[in-house]
Amino acid sequence: MDVKLCILGSGPAGLTAALYAARGNLAPLVVAGAQPGGQLTTTTMVENYPGFPDGIMGPELMETWRKHAERFGTRVLSAMATRVDLARRPFTIETDEGPVRCRALIIATGASPNLLGLPSEQRYMGRGVSTCATCDGYFFKDQEVAVVGGGDSAMEEALYLSKLSRKVTVIHRRDRLRASKIMAERAQTNPRITFQWNSAVEEILGKEDHGIRGVRLKRTDSGERSEVNVDGLFIAIGHSPNTALFKGQLAMDALGYLKVTEGTMTSVPGVFAAGDVVDHVYRQAVTAAGMGCMAAMDAERWLERQGE
């Protein structure tokens, strides 16, 4: 299949890029990926996206986004990219539905939160377990919550939740934080934040129709077990960008996030990147959407300069 513009990823960045590119008469093809709709499809109610004052379910929001892009001529391929060749144009993307060749490429493959690996974690995801305090913290106003992690991200989550929740328990498998000194001090001097040191979450407790009621912890030094009652659990042990396909072909930082210059251009002319695959600071749907818009406009202008 030969197209002018291909977009890898169908989350907020990818579908916004598709919308703008379609309206720019680029007839984009979106390769939906392994998780069509991106991370928002794993959430329940989204209440912080502008234009939805009563909130909207994550999967419903992404379905609306897809229909909006398709209305202007976007084609969505339900496939996963398995290999890319960015050494020459047209670029080649191998998918499990066959090869795609494109004159320009927008990468919006996002990032995946690092998880604990517990079956109960998946069972209660969106039902008391979350990977984003900014997204879901409001649902736990005046309740008791826990944050798993010991880095800056975990402290940011705990500090944010302390403004909403009655009590925040930070669960960390070591006896000291990995966070920067200033972030650690802010968390440790906050009266609403307590710490469970040398502890790891062994099980998440609850009922699927009622959400979680607590966690069972196992001490990493003695093996002793205990339970902590919480209404919500926030996993904050980092994210991993979905960039394995591009290693050795595109410039990345030490964490694997794609580097961009001049807006959204990657190290290969004609290849652009947007959303969480680039951004490890904000990681919000609205910022990803903004970057998707930028990438589409950058791609359109670049193709014009190539006489295409």
Side-chain angles (χ1 to χ4, degrees):
M1 185 186 305
D2 293 276
V3 298
K4 186 172 289 187
L5 174 66
C6 181
I7 300 168
L8 298 182
S10 55
L15 290 180
T16 301
L19 170 62
Y20 274 79
R23 286 175 57 85
N25 205 32
L26 295 182
L29 174 74
V30 172
V31 178
Q35 187 178 5
Q39 293 185 59
L40 279 186
T41 59
T42 67
T43 66
T44 49
M45 185 64 71
V46 178
E47 292 191 320
N48 61 354
Y49 197 82
F52 297 93
D54 298 321
I56 184 171
M57 299 297 285
E60 181 185 355
L61 175 60
M62 296 317 302
E63 180 61 23
T64 300
W65 225 316
R66 172 174 170 157
K67 288 178 179 177
H68 195 173
E70 289 178 327
R71 176 190 166 197
F72 293 101
T74 295
R75 289 177 292 166
V76 178
L77 180 64
S78 297
M80 185 169 65
T82 56
R83 191 178 70 83
V84 298
D85 181 359
L86 307 179
R88 61 189 65 83
R89 294 178 67 234
F91 305 122
T92 300
I93 298 97
E94 299 288 347
T95 80
D96 49 16
E97 293 291 329
V100 175
R101 288 168 294 277
C102 59
R103 308 302 295 177
L105 174 66
I106 294 175
I107 298 169
T109 49
S112 300
N114 299 331
L115 300 175
L116 302 173
L118 302 173
S120 54
E121 182 179 39
Q122 294 295 336
R123 190 158 59 246
Y124 294 114
M125 188 64 67
R127 296 180 175 86
V129 176
S130 172
T131 58
C132 178
T134 310
C135 311
D136 300 324
Y138 188 80
F139 299 120
F140 300 94
K141 193 173 182 180
D142 298 323
Q143 299 182 56
E144 296 189 8
V145 299
V147 174
V148 181
D152 278 352
S153 294
M155 296 310 102
E156 287 173 5
E157 299 275 275
L159 288 164
Y160 178 84
L161 290 166
S162 72
K163 301 173 185 177
L164 301 168
S165 303
R166 184 169 64 250
K167 179 183 177 183
V168 181
T169 301
V170 173
I171 301 167
H172 187 41
R173 60 186 305 112
R174 299 180 179 85
D175 60 359
R176 66 186 66 184
L177 298 172
R178 294 181 289 103
S180 60
K181 184 177 180 182
I182 188 169
M183 291 299 296
E185 286 180 352
R186 286 176 183 171
Q188 290 176 298
T189 56
N190 188 306
R192 290 194 179 185
I193 299 176
T194 62
F195 291 80
Q196 283 276 353
W197 302 107
N198 296 311
S199 298
V201 176
E202 187 176 61
E203 187 61 273
I204 300 167
L205 310 172
K207 294 183 178 179
E208 287 190 50
D209 52 345
H210 291 95
I212 74 170
R213 64 171 178 82
V215 292
R216 183 167 69 241
L217 304 180
K218 181 179 180 180
R219 287 192 61 89
T220 56
D221 50 3
S222 66
E224 180 184 353
R225 290 176 171 83
S226 63
E227 291 187 7
V228 176
N229 295 326
V230 292
D231 304 293
L233 180 68
F234 291 82
I235 314 298
I237 54 177
H239 285 70
S240 297
N242 300 321
T243 55
L245 275 179
F246 317 109
K247 286 184 178 177
Q249 300 192 66
L250 295 175
M252 305 178 186
D253 67 13
L255 298 175
Y257 289 87
L258 296 180
K259 291 183 177 181
V260 293
T261 57
E262 300 179 13
T264 61
M265 180 80 83
T266 69
S267 57
V268 172
V271 179
F272 305 84
D276 289 10
V277 77
V278 175
D279 169 31
H280 55 83
V281 177
Y282 300 103
R283 295 198 303 265
Q284 298 299 303
V286 69
T287 53
M291 288 189 72
C293 165
M294 292 165 57
M297 295 175 72
D298 288 346
E300 181 180 5
R301 291 167 181 167
W302 185 84
L303 283 167
E304 284 179 358
R305 291 197 297 270
Q306 310 309 305
E308 300 176 27

